[in-house]
Amino acid sequence: MINNLLIDNVPISHFLIFSATLFVIGICGIMINKKSIINILFSIEIMLLSVNLNFIAFSKIWIDITGQIFSIFILTVAAAEAAIGLAILVLFFRNKSDISIDRIKKLKG
């Protein structure tokens, strides 16, 4: 009962500021770590989670379940993206013994 009251009293601006901060951290992670593919994948995941936080916050404020359903779909797509991306990296590492972005850029075909 007490925890539910604390969540209901948090203004939506706090959720939006936190979500925007997470999104900016994700963008900075992509821009700064251009050499590591795994860090880029993690940064994309952080950006997707910040979007999910927005959907859930607005869903809570507007008392509508649509945002939560979109959030579940985004989590599903993010999990599939991470699984496929890491599988491609494992295969690339087996063939080339390196997962440097410079070597991946040279791939053609």
Side-chain angles (χ1 to χ4, degrees), residues 9-21 53-54 57-58 61:
N9 291 332
V10 176
I12 195 165
S13 62
H14 290 163
F15 289 109
L16 296 178
I17 291 170
F18 182 63
S19 177
T21 304
L53 182 62
N54 276 339
F58 282 114
I61 295 297

Side-chain angles (χ1 to χ4, degrees), residues 6-106:
L6 290 176
I7 291 173
D8 288 339
N9 291 332
V10 176
I12 195 165
S13 62
H14 290 163
F15 289 109
L16 296 178
I17 291 170
F18 182 63
S19 177
T21 304
L22 282 178
F23 198 81
V24 168
I25 288 171
I27 289 175
C28 289
I30 290 174
M31 295 300 167
I32 292 172
N33 296 320
K34 289 187 177 180
K35 297 289 181 183
S36 175
I37 298 173
I38 294 176
N39 285 342
I40 290 174
L41 285 175
F42 283 146
S43 297
I44 292 171
E45 293 292 325
I46 289 174
M47 292 168 62
L48 288 173
L49 289 175
S50 71
V51 171
N52 282 340
L53 182 62
N54 276 339
F55 276 132
I56 292 173
F58 282 114
S59 175
K60 177 80 173 158
I61 295 297
W62 291 335
I63 310 170
D64 187 17
I65 198 166
T66 308
Q68 295 173 13
I69 293 171
F70 274 121
S71 178
I72 290 172
F73 284 134
I74 290 173
L75 286 174
T76 305
V77 169
E81 174 256 334
I84 291 172
L86 290 176
I88 290 171
L89 287 177
V90 167
L91 289 175
F92 189 75
F93 183 76
R94 282 185 187 172
N95 290 335
K96 302 292 182 183
S97 298
D98 187 21
I99 55 172
S100 172
I101 289 184
D102 296 333
R103 294 191 76 183
I104 292 175
K105 285 182 180 178
K106 294 178 184 177

